[in-house]
Amino acid sequence: MTVQPFVSPDLIRQRFSKAMSDMYREEVPLYGALMALVEQTNREVLARQPAIAEQLDSTGEIERLDMERHGAIRVGTATELATLARLFAVMGMQPVGYYDLTPAGVPVHSTAFRAVHEDALQISPFRVFTSLLRLELIEDPELRAFAESVLAQRSIFTPEALRLIAQAESTGGLDERAAEAFVLQALETFRWHHSATVSAAQYQTLSAQHRLIADVVAFKGPHINHLTPRTLDIDRAQEQMPAHGITPKAVIEGPPRRQCPILLRQTSFKALDEPIAFTDQNETRGSHSARFGEIEQRGAALTPKGRALYDRLLNAARDELGDFPNEANAARYNALMTQHFGEFPDSVEGMREQGLAYFRYFATEKGLAAGRLADASLEDLLRDGHVKVEPLVYEDFLPVSAAGIFQSNLGDAAQAHYGEHANRQAFEQALGRATIDELALYAETQQRSIEECEKLLGLKLNRN
């Protein structure tokens, strides 16, 4: 009997991302319009700016650009989160980073499941921002107990998905047939359900506490609430959204427009108002808004020093604004962001010299042709053209931006004040493992690229 080889977790992730995108396109037609807009914008940028095309080609990012997606889901219990971690592990995705959104009035804390090695990210950069509802923040004990009881009665995974997860864990992987079944079964966890699990009155009570609480508690499963493609020019995409029948949010979240993008910029259209049926209704009579469209532009991953500078400038702009960024103050907010971020170097050289970002180093054709080089410093190799450098793509998220997206789609009334209630220990206990430090991952990727240059050029770099 021939033993079937296991399918790579990276390929399973790639297939799942494609299946998720196809499902979401059927469920949310505007997502198809969003995809068309992003594809058009990216073609224009690559045609207009050959330097960007060359950079993406040299780093391999051009091959992942069209399939780049991130999704977002919200779960209600520790068991759901822990099982999701097992499901994502089958696809080579690990929990990276801890995000506390309670300071912005959103009663969740989160992590991002994604691949952690640069080679795996090239195959599929699919990532899922996953939030756990903070039930302990519901002040009304009766409402909190009700939410807990509703969540305890549901199972968000199919029996076959659970069996395949256990099979992958016990055997070390899935063969072709099992991998195909796993993708289909895992997809069911993220599917939209028009039927609620509570009555209309119960839904209103949950929603009055916080609309996100109703979104998590009142349905059979977490339903993917957005899928986000990556654009090379988010400002252009934002300008073109109305022409595609899409109304964008007023403010692009994240840093201001720059020649050398950093971290993450995001925009979205408002959540769809979708018909649902409550348990005390025989037909669809109610409505719920949770799912929306989002576009992102990714820039350079910043070092701790770079993040500290970013946070300081962002806080200075927001403090001077004195309000949550919205349609009424969007122009002033954008002007303040541009003003304050003038302090942040806007070039690869400037960021590298000041140690503000992480980079990937590549041996050039000139360096390879030079034969064995005398021991040199990295600066010597860069100066002589034997090595080139490109910023590492930021693969993660920003809590302030995530909260801004949530709030713009939940409405101003949803901005409850929970204060600062970060509890990483409780989150990781629910998760069943520690989250990974994203900054350490970037540092490791940067170091591997330097070691690869040493290997290819036949030298040991002088690190003094």
Side-chain angles (χ1 to χ4, degrees):
M1 180 178 176
T2 303
V3 178
Q4 294 296 317
F6 291 146
V7 178
S8 161
D10 297 330
L11 292 179
I12 298 177
R13 181 173 69 257
Q14 187 183 77
R15 294 177 188 180
F16 182 79
S17 174
K18 173 66 165 57
M20 179 85 84
S21 186
D22 290 344
M23 180 185 77
Y24 199 67
R25 188 189 295 260
E26 289 182 6
E27 293 182 346
V28 182
L30 270 181
Y31 172 68
L34 205 66
M35 291 298 302
L37 169 59
V38 168
E39 290 168 7
Q40 173 188 319
T41 302
N42 289 348
R43 282 196 307 270
E44 291 174 355
V45 171
L46 293 172
R48 188 174 67 247
Q49 302 183 55
I52 291 181
E54 182 180 345
Q55 175 191 339
L56 294 175
D57 187 59
S58 68
T59 60
E61 286 179 67
I62 195 73
E63 297 172 5
R64 68 181 245 188
L65 184 61
D66 288 343
M67 61 181 173
E68 185 119 11
R69 301 284 186 279
H70 96 245
I73 55 172
R74 306 155 186 164
V75 295
T77 69
T79 299
E80 291 177 352
L81 180 66
T83 307
L84 266 183
R86 296 171 59 211
L87 181 147
F88 286 132
V90 176
M91 297 184 273
M93 301 165 73
Q94 299 185 51
V96 178
Y98 170 78
Y99 305 91
D100 173 35
L101 274 64
T102 58
V106 184
V108 301
H109 47 184
S110 316
T111 191
F113 287 95
R114 67 169 177 89
V116 298
H117 193 283
E118 57 271 19
D119 293 343
L121 287 162
Q122 291 300 92
I123 295 172
S124 173
F126 181 60
R127 54 185 83 79
V128 181
F129 189 80
T130 303
S131 300
L132 175 64
L133 181 61
R134 303 285 300 275
L135 286 170
E136 74 276 13
L137 297 181
I138 300 178
E139 295 178 355
D140 183 340
E142 290 187 8
L143 182 62
R144 184 168 62 249
F146 171 72
E148 290 171 346
S149 68
V150 173
L151 291 170
Q153 294 173 34
R154 75 179 188 182
S155 176
I156 67 173
F157 306 96
T158 70
E160 183 65 3
L162 295 173
R163 187 190 70 78
L164 288 166
I165 291 170
Q167 178 182 324
E169 292 171 338
S170 64
T171 63
L174 298 176
D175 62 22
E176 181 63 42
R177 184 173 180 180
E180 183 178 348
F182 171 81
V183 168
L184 293 176
Q185 294 297 319
L187 205 60
E188 292 305 306
T189 296
F190 305 91
R191 191 178 297 281
W192 171 250
H193 298 283
H194 287 285
S195 298
T197 56
V198 298
S199 70
Q202 291 166 338
Y203 172 87
Q204 290 300 328
T205 301
L206 291 167
S207 186
Q209 175 71 28
H210 198 292
R211 284 178 56 190
L212 187 142
I213 294 174
D215 180 63
V216 175
V217 174
F219 295 90
K220 296 178 181 178
H223 51 255
I224 195 81
N225 55 65
H226 64 268
L227 273 182
T228 305
R230 176 182 169 189
T231 183
L232 298 174
D233 187 344
I234 198 167
D235 298 276
R236 176 63 176 167
Q238 172 106 335
E239 291 171 2
Q240 292 297 308
M241 284 170 76
H244 286 71
I246 304 169
T247 303
K249 69 187 299 293
V251 175
I252 294 174
E253 299 289 343
R257 184 182 183 95
R258 293 164 43 90
Q259 292 297 315
C260 189
I262 56 173
L263 296 175
L264 177 66
R265 304 182 72 206
Q266 297 172 295
T267 189
S268 69
F269 62 74
K270 287 216 169 186
L272 304 175
D273 196 34
E274 300 181 271
I276 57 172
F278 297 109
T279 56
D280 57 344
Q281 297 172 337
N282 295 324
E283 58 187 70
T284 301
R285 292 177 182 169
S287 66
H288 177 70
S289 57
R291 301 190 301 164
F292 55 92
E294 185 179 81
I295 298 174
E296 65 187 16
Q297 180 176 356
R298 291 188 171 269
L302 301 185
T303 62
K305 181 181 178 182
R307 281 301 298 266
L309 177 57
Y310 170 82
D311 289 343
R312 178 169 67 79
L313 299 177
L314 175 66
N315 289 335
R318 290 198 165 218
D319 287 347
E320 189 170 343
L321 183 68
D323 192 9
F324 182 78
N326 54 53
E327 188 170 355
N329 60 28
R332 181 165 181 262
Y333 177 67
N334 290 334
L336 287 171
M337 287 289 284
T338 300
Q339 173 191 327
H340 284 280
F341 272 83
E343 186 179 335
F344 203 112
D346 195 7
S347 68
V348 169
E349 295 78 12
M351 291 195 298
R352 200 179 67 81
E353 289 170 1
Q354 294 188 33
L356 300 176
Y358 292 103
F359 297 90
R360 193 170 180 181
Y361 295 87
F362 301 85
T364 64
E365 291 185 7
K366 180 180 179 181
L368 294 171
R372 185 174 179 84
L373 299 167
D375 285 352
S377 70
L378 195 55
E379 298 304 317
D380 293 335
L381 295 174
L382 287 166
R383 183 196 62 224
D384 296 338
H386 294 138
V387 167
K388 66 178 181 177
V389 63
E390 297 289 355
L392 275 179
V393 176
Y394 185 64
E395 305 286 352
D396 298 288
F397 296 91
L398 300 171
V400 172
S401 295
I405 294 288
F406 278 16
Q407 289 171 333
S408 70
N409 286 288
L410 293 170
D412 291 340
Q415 294 176 34
H417 296 283
Y418 293 98
E420 295 204 22
H421 288 275
N423 194 338
R424 184 173 191 151
Q425 182 179 0
F427 183 85
E428 292 181 339
Q429 183 177 358
L431 183 65
R433 59 165 293 181
T435 55
I436 298 171
D437 177 8
E438 66 273 22
L439 298 185
L441 294 178
Y442 297 119
E444 290 166 7
T445 296
Q446 178 174 277
Q447 181 58 31
R448 279 193 291 266
S449 76
I450 293 173
E451 291 171 357
E452 181 68 10
C453 288
E454 290 179 326
K455 178 182 175 182
L456 292 173
L457 299 177
L459 54 76
K460 188 68 175 177
L461 288 172
N462 179 357
R463 301 182 190 279
N464 294 328

